[in-house]
Amino acid sequence: VRATGSDRLHPHAPIRPSGRTQLALGILVCGSLLAAGLWALRASPESHIGPYGLIQALSPWYYVVLAGLLLSTAWTFRIERFRSPLLSGHLIVLVVLVHGAPALVESAPRFATAWLHAGFTDYVASTGRFLPLVDARFSWPSFFAGSALVDRAAGVHAATALIRWWPVALNLLYLPLIFRLAYAFLRSDEKAWIATALFPLANWVGQDYYSPQSIAFLLYLTFVFLLVGPLGAHDLPLWRLYWRSRGQGRILRTRRPWIHGGPWLVQQSQAKLSALGFHLGILVLLMAAMATGHQLTPILATGSAMVFVLAGRTRVRWLVIAFALMTIVWVCYGAVSFWSGHFGLLVGQVGSVQNNVSSAFIARLHGSFAHRFVVDVRLVMSGLVWLLAVLGGLLWRSDGADRRALVISFLLPFGMLVGGSYGGEAVLRVYLFALPFAVCLVAALISRIRWSYRWMTVGVILALLVPFFLVSRWGNELFELVRPNEVSGVKALYRIARPGSTLISITPQLPWRFADVARFRYEPSNLDEFALESVPAIIRLVEGNPRGGYVIITTSQIDYGWQAYGLPSTWGTKVEKLLSDSAYFKIRYTNQSSQVFEYTPRPRSG
Amino acid sequence: MKSTYKADMAAIAAFTLMAVLAIAAPLTNMAPSFRLFAVFGAVLLGPASVAYRLATERRWSDCLAIGAGINVAIAMLLGQLLVSVHFWHPTQFELLMPVATFLLSSVLLWRVMSSSSKVRR
């Protein structure tokens, strides 16, 4: 997007043509900082990751590089010529260094759930079938189907090959859309760049790992941008139009076509009309992919579309009904195996805001001191971003439709707290879906500052966000990282275990099910049943299965137990000892980070 | 067309090259990492970006940013369709995307060439 005359930083700013030398210098700085950052990350020892996460392991040089990068980024805001390519370069380096840090520090790709999703993808790739009765995520399976399709064509034998750099790739794909979205609302090159620069450091929620929601969020951003960008409008809000038309004796709803436009449509050239039709087709396509790919995103997308219609910010009007219908039809038809028999579970939390907020906030405020500190930092950071966004909404002077649409879109995701707790993750989703609009409002707030201080303010805010981000995003790395020995342990378990047997994990933090998803029974299936501490509790889960059962205990599971569940730090050793001493269990495999026990229904003698 | 002739030609060359690589990948003994790059590159630089350029004539930066999301959506729905109709032949059907990119790039090339020759006349 090219800056217009009104987008310039300041009419009286001392703008000198920076020339190609400045561009070359900027590229050189970016390249050097990237190389230095990668070196600093490689020099950070994985073994130093502690209760406060990755921040304890990062080399001091990493912070020096980040400081240099942020200074250079803030300085680049002052440049008039080649500002866009230079800022793009800086933000690419920033994303690689902050979102790719664990990929370079840790020996194995991180996060147990990403390994699970890789297992789902591999199952679809090898069988061409879904398993809706095994896992609810298969009721919205198009992410796994698409990923399996591409993996197979690319000759990828295991989707685990993709998960290491997935967050970096996804964040790089989000940024151009954030820029465009911000530009559509703020109508300024500079403000849009500020919003885009804030996004990677404000996005601490970690929903960008190899998962359906990471891709669904990309589709959501594309969808929202199309509604307010190419299909955008600057009308009166719908309620005012309604009252106005009522006063004139006209009924709005009978006069409005699917696309608002009236005479506008007649005046358009054939090319413009074909572009319009193309955009509408894309919206339907994106909604179809979202509706079949993730349970929450299509609801938010439909809600955002409704907000834009109400605020008079989009030309698309009655098509919103089609979006809602697509979502509902998929839930009724495609996700039938998810809700049949669990309807109470699905709608039981609707309206119980207190319970949903409690499970999202209070239930997370337990565990070890370090874990509570990380949760506190997350809450402070979220509160800070929301506060700045609210201030931006209050102080920003703009065209009514933009401000109305932006503020309501920012507030809309908070409505999710009424809908359900979403496994205690509702607040994470609220933050994620509010974030694109929040950074726009923060950018609008920053733009109220005098030009001469503005670039410094950007630099200071970015620098403040770095420690918050590193603690919030990578603070749980002690149990979220995957140790190579744990993967070896799980592979050994798969070799040892008989097909159809029950496999037990004492906490959910285990990189398993990346293979043989349908070959075994996995227990426990409910999050509340984890943190198993007694032998009888474990036996209850395996004794009904004639094919036997196995228990796996790994370092990450033990760390998760004392960090997140607040168990004593020795609880893992205690469970290991109980199983070793029990007559019902025998050790089948052991390495530095994992142990596999087999259940023997008849107690061993002696 | 809002972008320059040079930008169009560069984009057409990039899209065509990626499409050809992705078509050739399953048929030849390419190195696995190169094949991965070719196929994933052909999804991100897939037909939607070229179609978007053809239909809307917006800048290439817009076409690439929006096209990436649409291409991903196409891959998801194509995979979903193949599983739903129990016709799981991913390697063959994934080729639809680079083939479509190749065809659309050809159409775009023809349009760019014809408009530039009109300008010259």
Side-chain angles (χ1 to χ4, degrees), chain A residues 2 58 69 94 156 190 233 246 284 286 310 355 357 386 406 410 487 510 524 530 595:
Chain A
R2 201 169 295 154
L58 294 170
L69 181 66
L94 183 67
V156 176
E190 187 207 9
R246 228 176 77 141
V284 172
L286 289 169
L310 285 172
N355 284 344
V357 172
W386 289 342
L406 201 47
F410 164 65
V487 179
L510 178 69
F530 279 103
Q595 279 185 309

mmCIF file of all heavy atoms in Angstrom, chain A residues 2 58 69 94 156 190 233 246 284 286 310 355 357 386 406 410 487 510 524 530 595:
data_model
loop_
_atom_site.group_PDB
_atom_site.id
_atom_site.type_symbol
_atom_site.label_atom_id
_atom_site.label_comp_id
_atom_site.label_asym_id
_atom_site.label_seq_id
_atom_site.Cartn_x
_atom_site.Cartn_y
_atom_site.Cartn_z
ATOM 1 N N ARG A 2 0.600 2.128 -0.887
ATOM 2 C CA ARG A 2 1.454 3.308 -1.002
ATOM 3 C C ARG A 2 0.914 4.437 -0.124
ATOM 4 O O ARG A 2 -0.293 4.619 0.016
ATOM 5 C CB ARG A 2 1.462 3.739 -2.468
ATOM 6 C CG ARG A 2 2.646 4.586 -2.820
ATOM 7 C CD ARG A 2 2.708 4.741 -4.321
ATOM 8 N NE ARG A 2 2.966 3.478 -4.974
ATOM 9 C CZ ARG A 2 2.593 3.206 -6.209
ATOM 10 N NH1 ARG A 2 1.914 4.056 -6.905
ATOM 11 N NH2 ARG A 2 2.883 2.054 -6.750
ATOM 12 N N LEU A 58 18.231 -17.904 27.587
ATOM 13 C CA LEU A 58 18.655 -17.058 26.467
ATOM 14 C C LEU A 58 19.979 -16.345 26.769
ATOM 15 O O LEU A 58 20.158 -15.798 27.865
ATOM 16 C CB LEU A 58 17.573 -16.030 26.139
ATOM 17 C CG LEU A 58 16.273 -16.634 25.596
ATOM 18 C CD1 LEU A 58 15.178 -15.575 25.526
ATOM 19 C CD2 LEU A 58 16.488 -17.265 24.227
ATOM 20 N N LEU A 69 17.706 -4.339 17.238
ATOM 21 C CA LEU A 69 16.645 -4.502 16.229
ATOM 22 C C LEU A 69 15.492 -3.527 16.485
ATOM 23 O O LEU A 69 14.983 -2.889 15.546
ATOM 24 C CB LEU A 69 16.144 -5.952 16.254
ATOM 25 C CG LEU A 69 15.066 -6.296 15.244
ATOM 26 C CD1 LEU A 69 15.586 -6.201 13.823
ATOM 27 C CD2 LEU A 69 14.522 -7.704 15.486
ATOM 28 N N LEU A 94 12.324 -9.792 13.342
ATOM 29 C CA LEU A 94 11.735 -9.825 14.688
ATOM 30 C C LEU A 94 10.931 -11.120 14.889
ATOM 31 O O LEU A 94 11.064 -11.795 15.921
ATOM 32 C CB LEU A 94 10.824 -8.597 14.879
ATOM 33 C CG LEU A 94 10.177 -8.445 16.251
ATOM 34 C CD1 LEU A 94 11.212 -8.156 17.321
ATOM 35 C CD2 LEU A 94 9.120 -7.355 16.252
ATOM 36 N N VAL A 156 6.205 -35.792 2.466
ATOM 37 C CA VAL A 156 6.514 -35.737 3.895
ATOM 38 C C VAL A 156 5.981 -37.015 4.545
ATOM 39 O O VAL A 156 4.798 -37.316 4.454
ATOM 40 C CB VAL A 156 5.847 -34.497 4.545
ATOM 41 C CG1 VAL A 156 6.067 -34.479 6.040
ATOM 42 C CG2 VAL A 156 6.388 -33.229 3.920
ATOM 43 N N GLU A 190 1.671 4.976 8.150
ATOM 44 C CA GLU A 190 2.461 4.965 9.380
ATOM 45 C C GLU A 190 1.736 4.247 10.510
ATOM 46 O O GLU A 190 2.296 3.381 11.182
ATOM 47 C CB GLU A 190 2.764 6.409 9.803
ATOM 48 C CG GLU A 190 3.719 6.482 10.960
ATOM 49 C CD GLU A 190 3.531 7.751 11.777
ATOM 50 O OE1 GLU A 190 2.556 8.481 11.556
ATOM 51 O OE2 GLU A 190 4.359 7.991 12.650
ATOM 52 N N ALA A 233 -17.244 -0.232 3.114
ATOM 53 C CA ALA A 233 -18.145 0.899 2.864
ATOM 54 C C ALA A 233 -17.987 1.885 4.010
ATOM 55 O O ALA A 233 -17.396 1.549 5.046
ATOM 56 C CB ALA A 233 -19.579 0.400 2.794
ATOM 57 N N ARG A 246 -37.434 4.422 7.832
ATOM 58 C CA ARG A 246 -38.762 4.246 8.396
ATOM 59 C C ARG A 246 -39.523 5.560 8.376
ATOM 60 O O ARG A 246 -40.693 5.629 8.058
ATOM 61 C CB ARG A 246 -38.654 3.748 9.835
ATOM 62 C CG ARG A 246 -39.547 2.576 10.104
ATOM 63 C CD ARG A 246 -39.301 2.099 11.496
ATOM 64 N NE ARG A 246 -39.972 2.993 12.425
ATOM 65 C CZ ARG A 246 -40.594 2.581 13.516
ATOM 66 N NH1 ARG A 246 -40.599 1.304 13.805
ATOM 67 N NH2 ARG A 246 -41.178 3.429 14.318
ATOM 68 N N VAL A 284 -17.243 -16.790 0.553
ATOM 69 C CA VAL A 284 -17.962 -18.056 0.771
ATOM 70 C C VAL A 284 -16.954 -19.206 0.923
ATOM 71 O O VAL A 284 -17.091 -20.059 1.809
ATOM 72 C CB VAL A 284 -18.955 -18.314 -0.386
ATOM 73 C CG1 VAL A 284 -19.566 -19.706 -0.288
ATOM 74 C CG2 VAL A 284 -20.048 -17.260 -0.375
ATOM 75 N N LEU A 286 -13.804 -19.016 1.933
ATOM 76 C CA LEU A 286 -13.104 -18.896 3.221
ATOM 77 C C LEU A 286 -14.002 -19.350 4.365
ATOM 78 O O LEU A 286 -13.553 -20.044 5.282
ATOM 79 C CB LEU A 286 -12.668 -17.439 3.459
ATOM 80 C CG LEU A 286 -11.524 -16.926 2.587
ATOM 81 C CD1 LEU A 286 -11.374 -15.420 2.730
ATOM 82 C CD2 LEU A 286 -10.207 -17.602 2.965
ATOM 83 N N LEU A 310 -23.621 -3.895 10.775
ATOM 84 C CA LEU A 310 -24.317 -2.966 11.678
ATOM 85 C C LEU A 310 -23.643 -1.599 11.692
ATOM 86 O O LEU A 310 -24.303 -0.569 11.736
ATOM 87 C CB LEU A 310 -24.325 -3.538 13.099
ATOM 88 C CG LEU A 310 -25.293 -4.688 13.344
ATOM 89 C CD1 LEU A 310 -25.076 -5.281 14.718
ATOM 90 C CD2 LEU A 310 -26.731 -4.213 13.208
ATOM 91 N N ASN A 355 -18.992 -18.760 35.844
ATOM 92 C CA ASN A 355 -18.240 -20.021 35.786
ATOM 93 C C ASN A 355 -17.183 -19.977 34.694
ATOM 94 O O ASN A 355 -16.063 -20.447 34.870
ATOM 95 C CB ASN A 355 -19.186 -21.193 35.514
ATOM 96 C CG ASN A 355 -19.952 -21.564 36.755
ATOM 97 O OD1 ASN A 355 -19.578 -21.155 37.852
ATOM 98 N ND2 ASN A 355 -21.026 -22.304 36.581
ATOM 99 N N VAL A 357 -15.704 -17.350 33.341
ATOM 100 C CA VAL A 357 -14.611 -16.441 33.694
ATOM 101 C C VAL A 357 -13.734 -17.092 34.771
ATOM 102 O O VAL A 357 -12.509 -17.038 34.714
ATOM 103 C CB VAL A 357 -15.167 -15.082 34.181
ATOM 104 C CG1 VAL A 357 -14.063 -14.201 34.737
ATOM 105 C CG2 VAL A 357 -15.856 -14.371 33.032
ATOM 106 N N TRP A 386 -5.241 -4.309 26.427
ATOM 107 C CA TRP A 386 -6.661 -3.932 26.381
ATOM 108 C C TRP A 386 -6.865 -2.486 26.842
ATOM 109 O O TRP A 386 -7.663 -1.762 26.264
ATOM 110 C CB TRP A 386 -7.484 -4.884 27.263
ATOM 111 C CG TRP A 386 -7.589 -6.268 26.686
ATOM 112 C CD1 TRP A 386 -7.351 -6.639 25.389
ATOM 113 C CD2 TRP A 386 -7.935 -7.467 27.381
ATOM 114 N NE1 TRP A 386 -7.531 -7.991 25.242
ATOM 115 C CE2 TRP A 386 -7.896 -8.535 26.449
ATOM 116 C CE3 TRP A 386 -8.280 -7.765 28.699
ATOM 117 C CZ2 TRP A 386 -8.192 -9.853 26.787
ATOM 118 C CZ3 TRP A 386 -8.578 -9.081 29.034
ATOM 119 C CH2 TRP A 386 -8.541 -10.114 28.097
ATOM 120 N N LEU A 406 -14.251 -0.655 14.496
ATOM 121 C CA LEU A 406 -13.031 -1.125 15.163
ATOM 122 C C LEU A 406 -13.287 -1.396 16.642
ATOM 123 O O LEU A 406 -12.892 -2.438 17.178
ATOM 124 C CB LEU A 406 -11.933 -0.070 14.985
ATOM 125 C CG LEU A 406 -10.485 -0.517 15.147
ATOM 126 C CD1 LEU A 406 -10.193 -1.774 14.386
ATOM 127 C CD2 LEU A 406 -9.555 0.597 14.693
ATOM 128 N N PHE A 410 -13.329 -5.055 18.416
ATOM 129 C CA PHE A 410 -12.424 -5.333 19.541
ATOM 130 C C PHE A 410 -13.205 -5.928 20.717
ATOM 131 O O PHE A 410 -12.728 -6.848 21.394
ATOM 132 C CB PHE A 410 -11.713 -4.030 19.940
ATOM 133 C CG PHE A 410 -11.062 -4.065 21.290
ATOM 134 C CD1 PHE A 410 -9.989 -4.914 21.538
ATOM 135 C CD2 PHE A 410 -11.524 -3.263 22.328
ATOM 136 C CE1 PHE A 410 -9.392 -4.960 22.800
ATOM 137 C CE2 PHE A 410 -10.933 -3.301 23.578
ATOM 138 C CZ PHE A 410 -9.867 -4.151 23.815
ATOM 139 N N VAL A 487 10.581 -38.464 23.307
ATOM 140 C CA VAL A 487 10.093 -39.001 22.026
ATOM 141 C C VAL A 487 10.569 -40.455 21.873
ATOM 142 O O VAL A 487 9.802 -41.331 21.468
ATOM 143 C CB VAL A 487 10.585 -38.121 20.846
ATOM 144 C CG1 VAL A 487 10.112 -38.680 19.525
ATOM 145 C CG2 VAL A 487 10.110 -36.691 21.018
ATOM 146 N N LEU A 510 2.488 -34.630 27.150
ATOM 147 C CA LEU A 510 3.297 -35.727 26.619
ATOM 148 C C LEU A 510 3.219 -35.729 25.089
ATOM 149 O O LEU A 510 2.124 -35.716 24.532
ATOM 150 C CB LEU A 510 2.770 -37.063 27.168
ATOM 151 C CG LEU A 510 3.477 -38.317 26.674
ATOM 152 C CD1 LEU A 510 4.901 -38.388 27.231
ATOM 153 C CD2 LEU A 510 2.714 -39.571 27.095
ATOM 154 N N PRO A 524 -5.896 -40.769 30.618
ATOM 155 C CA PRO A 524 -7.297 -40.360 30.732
ATOM 156 C C PRO A 524 -7.691 -39.488 29.538
ATOM 157 O O PRO A 524 -6.822 -38.923 28.871
ATOM 158 C CB PRO A 524 -7.328 -39.529 32.008
ATOM 159 C CG PRO A 524 -6.024 -39.697 32.676
ATOM 160 C CD PRO A 524 -5.050 -40.095 31.628
ATOM 161 N N PHE A 530 -6.356 -36.001 35.166
ATOM 162 C CA PHE A 530 -4.901 -36.171 35.123
ATOM 163 C C PHE A 530 -4.275 -35.967 36.505
ATOM 164 O O PHE A 530 -4.986 -35.867 37.495
ATOM 165 C CB PHE A 530 -4.293 -35.214 34.113
ATOM 166 C CG PHE A 530 -4.385 -35.715 32.700
ATOM 167 C CD1 PHE A 530 -5.317 -35.210 31.817
ATOM 168 C CD2 PHE A 530 -3.546 -36.724 32.261
ATOM 169 C CE1 PHE A 530 -5.402 -35.674 30.519
ATOM 170 C CE2 PHE A 530 -3.613 -37.194 30.960
ATOM 171 C CZ PHE A 530 -4.545 -36.670 30.084
ATOM 172 N N GLN A 595 10.108 -43.300 31.423
ATOM 173 C CA GLN A 595 10.018 -44.681 31.897
ATOM 174 C C GLN A 595 8.690 -45.256 31.430
ATOM 175 O O GLN A 595 7.663 -44.557 31.475
ATOM 176 C CB GLN A 595 10.053 -44.709 33.427
ATOM 177 C CG GLN A 595 11.451 -44.598 34.009
ATOM 178 C CD GLN A 595 11.442 -44.762 35.515
ATOM 179 O OE1 GLN A 595 10.683 -44.097 36.204
ATOM 180 N NE2 GLN A 595 12.278 -45.652 36.021
#
